[in-house]
Amino acid sequence: MGVDESSRRTFELLANETRLGIISALGEASGEGGYATLSFSELQEATGIEDNGHFNYHLKKLVEEFVEDREDGYALTLAGIRAYQAIVAQQQLPSTEVARSISTAPMSVTVGESSRRGTRTGGSMLSAMSVTSRSNIIPFRREVSM
């Protein structure tokens, strides 16, 4: 599996509310002593998902990459811990802080797939951009008035 295929799979796994809920429930159940291990029923209750089949389907999708299936229950893998930390960081950081940190960080801007300025539509220009700072790549789409 190449880097692009691996990245695509990772984002597909995380692009689901149920799966993010499972990762969040495992992370929130953890304390200062380490990350928690929850049984199937404890984890299902923590997520609030009542349908066993639905819950089991999404939990199994996370096993190995983000969740470890142990004898005594389920726990986050290192990738799962990082995903949980990203979820918490995003929830705690106000959007003005994100904008401020982006605007003050050294960065380069790439527009579209090459260095084009976008496509003109009527009186505006649509551009798909990604901003690269020292540690983050932040994709966004915006409409620029002409």
Side-chain angles (χ1 to χ4, degrees), residues 1 3-15 19 62 65-66 79 83:
M1 190 181 308
V3 173
D4 292 339
E5 182 67 22
S6 176
S7 296
R8 185 185 60 75
R9 177 170 158 57
T10 297
F11 284 109
E12 283 178 355
L13 286 173
L14 295 176
R19 295 179 200 148
L62 293 172
E65 191 163 345
F66 294 100

mmCIF file of all heavy atoms in Angstrom, residues 1 3-15 19 62 65-66 79 83:
data_model
loop_
_atom_site.group_PDB
_atom_site.id
_atom_site.type_symbol
_atom_site.label_atom_id
_atom_site.label_comp_id
_atom_site.label_asym_id
_atom_site.label_seq_id
_atom_site.Cartn_x
_atom_site.Cartn_y
_atom_site.Cartn_z
ATOM 1 N N MET A 1 0.857 -1.171 0.000
ATOM 2 C CA MET A 1 0.000 0.000 0.000
ATOM 3 C C MET A 1 0.900 1.230 0.000
ATOM 4 O O MET A 1 1.731 1.393 0.877
ATOM 5 C CB MET A 1 -0.891 -0.034 1.244
ATOM 6 C CG MET A 1 -1.977 0.991 1.229
ATOM 7 S SD MET A 1 -3.053 1.034 2.698
ATOM 8 C CE MET A 1 -3.589 -0.614 2.919
ATOM 9 N N VAL A 3 1.921 5.422 -0.018
ATOM 10 C CA VAL A 3 1.598 6.516 0.901
ATOM 11 C C VAL A 3 0.226 7.088 0.589
ATOM 12 O O VAL A 3 -0.581 7.308 1.485
ATOM 13 C CB VAL A 3 2.685 7.615 0.841
ATOM 14 C CG1 VAL A 3 2.277 8.825 1.647
ATOM 15 C CG2 VAL A 3 4.006 7.071 1.328
ATOM 16 N N ASP A 4 -0.072 7.322 -0.671
ATOM 17 C CA ASP A 4 -1.368 7.872 -1.038
ATOM 18 C C ASP A 4 -2.509 6.928 -0.661
ATOM 19 O O ASP A 4 -3.540 7.351 -0.145
ATOM 20 C CB ASP A 4 -1.425 8.187 -2.527
ATOM 21 C CG ASP A 4 -0.512 9.341 -2.891
ATOM 22 O OD1 ASP A 4 -0.146 10.132 -2.009
ATOM 23 O OD2 ASP A 4 -0.167 9.435 -4.075
ATOM 24 N N GLU A 5 -2.333 5.634 -0.906
ATOM 25 C CA GLU A 5 -3.352 4.643 -0.577
ATOM 26 C C GLU A 5 -3.529 4.534 0.936
ATOM 27 O O GLU A 5 -4.644 4.451 1.439
ATOM 28 C CB GLU A 5 -2.971 3.274 -1.168
ATOM 29 C CG GLU A 5 -3.985 2.193 -0.915
ATOM 30 C CD GLU A 5 -5.310 2.406 -1.623
ATOM 31 O OE1 GLU A 5 -5.357 3.141 -2.620
ATOM 32 O OE2 GLU A 5 -6.309 1.839 -1.157
ATOM 33 N N SER A 6 -2.429 4.564 1.669
ATOM 34 C CA SER A 6 -2.478 4.491 3.129
ATOM 35 C C SER A 6 -3.178 5.718 3.705
ATOM 36 O O SER A 6 -4.010 5.601 4.603
ATOM 37 C CB SER A 6 -1.056 4.387 3.684
ATOM 38 O OG SER A 6 -1.073 4.409 5.082
ATOM 39 N N SER A 7 -2.848 6.888 3.197
ATOM 40 C CA SER A 7 -3.482 8.127 3.666
ATOM 41 C C SER A 7 -4.973 8.122 3.347
ATOM 42 O O SER A 7 -5.794 8.506 4.187
ATOM 43 C CB SER A 7 -2.839 9.348 3.004
ATOM 44 O OG SER A 7 -1.503 9.452 3.396
ATOM 45 N N ARG A 8 -5.325 7.674 2.166
ATOM 46 C CA ARG A 8 -6.725 7.613 1.768
ATOM 47 C C ARG A 8 -7.492 6.696 2.712
ATOM 48 O O ARG A 8 -8.559 7.036 3.202
ATOM 49 C CB ARG A 8 -6.862 7.132 0.321
ATOM 50 C CG ARG A 8 -8.310 7.167 -0.199
ATOM 51 C CD ARG A 8 -8.428 6.565 -1.596
ATOM 52 N NE ARG A 8 -8.026 5.186 -1.674
ATOM 53 C CZ ARG A 8 -8.758 4.146 -1.228
ATOM 54 N NH1 ARG A 8 -9.910 4.361 -0.653
ATOM 55 N NH2 ARG A 8 -8.316 2.916 -1.353
ATOM 56 N N ARG A 9 -6.930 5.533 3.001
ATOM 57 C CA ARG A 9 -7.587 4.579 3.904
ATOM 58 C C ARG A 9 -7.750 5.175 5.304
ATOM 59 O O ARG A 9 -8.800 5.033 5.919
ATOM 60 C CB ARG A 9 -6.787 3.282 3.967
ATOM 61 C CG ARG A 9 -7.374 2.281 4.946
ATOM 62 C CD ARG A 9 -6.720 0.920 4.825
ATOM 63 N NE ARG A 9 -6.827 0.083 5.992
ATOM 64 C CZ ARG A 9 -7.943 -0.298 6.586
ATOM 65 N NH1 ARG A 9 -9.096 0.104 6.135
ATOM 66 N NH2 ARG A 9 -7.932 -1.078 7.652
ATOM 67 N N THR A 10 -6.721 5.828 5.809
ATOM 68 C CA THR A 10 -6.793 6.454 7.135
ATOM 69 C C THR A 10 -7.918 7.470 7.194
ATOM 70 O O THR A 10 -8.728 7.459 8.122
ATOM 71 C CB THR A 10 -5.453 7.129 7.483
ATOM 72 O OG1 THR A 10 -4.442 6.114 7.545
ATOM 73 C CG2 THR A 10 -5.525 7.859 8.807
ATOM 74 N N PHE A 11 -8.002 8.347 6.204
ATOM 75 C CA PHE A 11 -9.046 9.364 6.206
ATOM 76 C C PHE A 11 -10.428 8.755 6.005
ATOM 77 O O PHE A 11 -11.403 9.230 6.586
ATOM 78 C CB PHE A 11 -8.756 10.458 5.172
ATOM 79 C CG PHE A 11 -7.680 11.390 5.627
ATOM 80 C CD1 PHE A 11 -6.432 11.362 5.035
ATOM 81 C CD2 PHE A 11 -7.906 12.278 6.665
ATOM 82 C CE1 PHE A 11 -5.427 12.213 5.478
ATOM 83 C CE2 PHE A 11 -6.911 13.132 7.106
ATOM 84 C CZ PHE A 11 -5.665 13.102 6.516
ATOM 85 N N GLU A 12 -10.530 7.696 5.225
ATOM 86 C CA GLU A 12 -11.818 7.003 5.072
ATOM 87 C C GLU A 12 -12.281 6.416 6.401
ATOM 88 O O GLU A 12 -13.451 6.492 6.746
ATOM 89 C CB GLU A 12 -11.722 5.892 4.024
ATOM 90 C CG GLU A 12 -11.752 6.389 2.603
ATOM 91 C CD GLU A 12 -11.605 5.269 1.583
ATOM 92 O OE1 GLU A 12 -11.377 4.093 1.974
ATOM 93 O OE2 GLU A 12 -11.708 5.565 0.384
ATOM 94 N N LEU A 13 -11.348 5.835 7.148
ATOM 95 C CA LEU A 13 -11.697 5.265 8.450
ATOM 96 C C LEU A 13 -12.168 6.336 9.430
ATOM 97 O O LEU A 13 -13.099 6.112 10.204
ATOM 98 C CB LEU A 13 -10.499 4.520 9.048
ATOM 99 C CG LEU A 13 -10.159 3.177 8.429
ATOM 100 C CD1 LEU A 13 -8.858 2.641 9.011
ATOM 101 C CD2 LEU A 13 -11.281 2.179 8.649
ATOM 102 N N LEU A 14 -11.536 7.487 9.385
ATOM 103 C CA LEU A 14 -11.866 8.549 10.340
ATOM 104 C C LEU A 14 -13.007 9.446 9.872
ATOM 105 O O LEU A 14 -13.474 10.287 10.639
ATOM 106 C CB LEU A 14 -10.625 9.394 10.624
ATOM 107 C CG LEU A 14 -9.490 8.659 11.319
ATOM 108 C CD1 LEU A 14 -8.276 9.559 11.455
ATOM 109 C CD2 LEU A 14 -9.923 8.117 12.670
ATOM 110 N N ALA A 15 -13.469 9.268 8.661
ATOM 111 C CA ALA A 15 -14.535 10.128 8.116
ATOM 112 C C ALA A 15 -15.905 9.554 8.439
ATOM 113 O O ALA A 15 -16.793 9.512 7.604
ATOM 114 C CB ALA A 15 -14.357 10.289 6.607
ATOM 115 N N ARG A 19 -17.203 6.006 14.161
ATOM 116 C CA ARG A 19 -15.813 5.637 14.423
ATOM 117 C C ARG A 19 -15.114 6.695 15.259
ATOM 118 O O ARG A 19 -14.353 6.371 16.171
ATOM 119 C CB ARG A 19 -15.078 5.392 13.117
ATOM 120 C CG ARG A 19 -15.632 4.191 12.382
ATOM 121 C CD ARG A 19 -14.931 3.933 11.073
ATOM 122 N NE ARG A 19 -15.799 3.121 10.246
ATOM 123 C CZ ARG A 19 -15.852 3.174 8.941
ATOM 124 N NH1 ARG A 19 -15.079 4.004 8.273
ATOM 125 N NH2 ARG A 19 -16.683 2.397 8.278
ATOM 126 N N LEU A 62 -12.032 -0.227 12.845
ATOM 127 C CA LEU A 62 -10.953 0.485 13.537
ATOM 128 C C LEU A 62 -9.883 -0.445 14.114
ATOM 129 O O LEU A 62 -8.764 -0.006 14.385
ATOM 130 C CB LEU A 62 -11.535 1.332 14.675
ATOM 131 C CG LEU A 62 -12.412 2.496 14.269
ATOM 132 C CD1 LEU A 62 -13.066 3.120 15.496
ATOM 133 C CD2 LEU A 62 -11.617 3.541 13.497
ATOM 134 N N GLU A 65 -5.666 -0.733 13.212
ATOM 135 C CA GLU A 65 -5.032 0.554 12.930
ATOM 136 C C GLU A 65 -5.207 1.556 14.072
ATOM 137 O O GLU A 65 -4.250 2.215 14.472
ATOM 138 C CB GLU A 65 -5.566 1.157 11.632
ATOM 139 C CG GLU A 65 -4.745 2.348 11.193
ATOM 140 C CD GLU A 65 -4.973 2.727 9.747
ATOM 141 O OE1 GLU A 65 -5.531 1.936 8.987
ATOM 142 O OE2 GLU A 65 -4.585 3.843 9.393
ATOM 143 N N PHE A 66 -6.416 1.688 14.599
ATOM 144 C CA PHE A 66 -6.688 2.686 15.638
ATOM 145 C C PHE A 66 -7.078 2.088 16.982
ATOM 146 O O PHE A 66 -6.954 2.740 18.007
ATOM 147 C CB PHE A 66 -7.800 3.638 15.183
ATOM 148 C CG PHE A 66 -7.397 4.490 14.023
ATOM 149 C CD1 PHE A 66 -7.797 4.160 12.736
ATOM 150 C CD2 PHE A 66 -6.588 5.594 14.191
ATOM 151 C CE1 PHE A 66 -7.412 4.927 11.657
ATOM 152 C CE2 PHE A 66 -6.190 6.362 13.117
ATOM 153 C CZ PHE A 66 -6.599 6.036 11.838
ATOM 154 N N ALA A 79 -1.730 5.089 16.937
ATOM 155 C CA ALA A 79 -2.450 5.890 15.936
ATOM 156 C C ALA A 79 -3.798 6.355 16.491
ATOM 157 O O ALA A 79 -4.242 7.474 16.226
ATOM 158 C CB ALA A 79 -2.645 5.099 14.646
ATOM 159 N N ALA A 83 -5.093 10.145 16.993
ATOM 160 C CA ALA A 83 -6.381 10.580 16.438
ATOM 161 C C ALA A 83 -7.219 11.226 17.538
ATOM 162 O O ALA A 83 -7.826 12.280 17.333
ATOM 163 C CB ALA A 83 -7.133 9.407 15.810
#
